[in-house]
Amino acid sequence: LASMQDKNCLDIANMIANSPEANNIYASLDNNGFIFYLYRSILMREPDSEGFAFYQNAIEAGTLSRYAIIMGFIHSPEFRENICNTYGL
């Protein structure tokens, strides 16, 4: 079970990632731009080549939707450890 702190962090991240503002940004980006944007805005780092290729292939093959990728980033251990804990969320 996620701790209450994790739940609050994930709730905040979900609200931001699914906001009209974010959806407008996502809609304006091609697939590569979308992936770069997620790495920079959610994980606050540049994408590694392996991860970038994975998501690029998944989008192009239709095995992951953009929404599924956003949720994967938000629910990743990296996000919880590096962002939620860093900012005390």
Side-chain angles (χ1 to χ4, degrees), residues 2 6-7 9-10 43 73-86 89:
D6 281 346
K7 184 178 183 329
C9 182
L10 296 177
L43 299 181
F73 272 64
I74 290 171
H75 291 273
S76 70
E78 180 179 354
F79 176 77
R80 287 195 315 271
E81 292 168 13
N82 294 342
I83 307 305
C84 296
N85 291 341
T86 296
L89 300 173

Side-chain angles (χ1 to χ4, degrees), residues 2-19 67 70-71 74-75 79-80 84 89:
S3 71
M4 185 58 114
Q5 184 177 14
D6 281 346
K7 184 178 183 329
N8 290 336
C9 182
L10 296 177
D11 288 343
I12 292 167
N14 279 319
M15 286 189 306
I16 293 169
N18 292 302
S19 70
Y67 180 78
I70 293 167
M71 292 298 101
I74 290 171
H75 291 273
F79 176 77
R80 287 195 315 271
C84 296
L89 300 173

Side-chain angles (χ1 to χ4, degrees), residues 31-32 34-36 38-39 43 45 47-73 76 78:
N31 289 337
N32 289 347
F34 173 75
I35 298 165
F36 272 106
L38 294 183
Y39 271 96
L43 299 181
R45 68 174 176 87
D48 56 282
S49 58
E50 186 176 295
F52 182 85
F54 172 81
Y55 290 113
Q56 184 181 43
N57 291 334
I59 288 175
E60 290 180 9
T63 56
L64 286 175
S65 67
R66 284 184 168 202
Y67 180 78
I69 294 171
I70 293 167
M71 292 298 101
F73 272 64
S76 70
E78 180 179 354

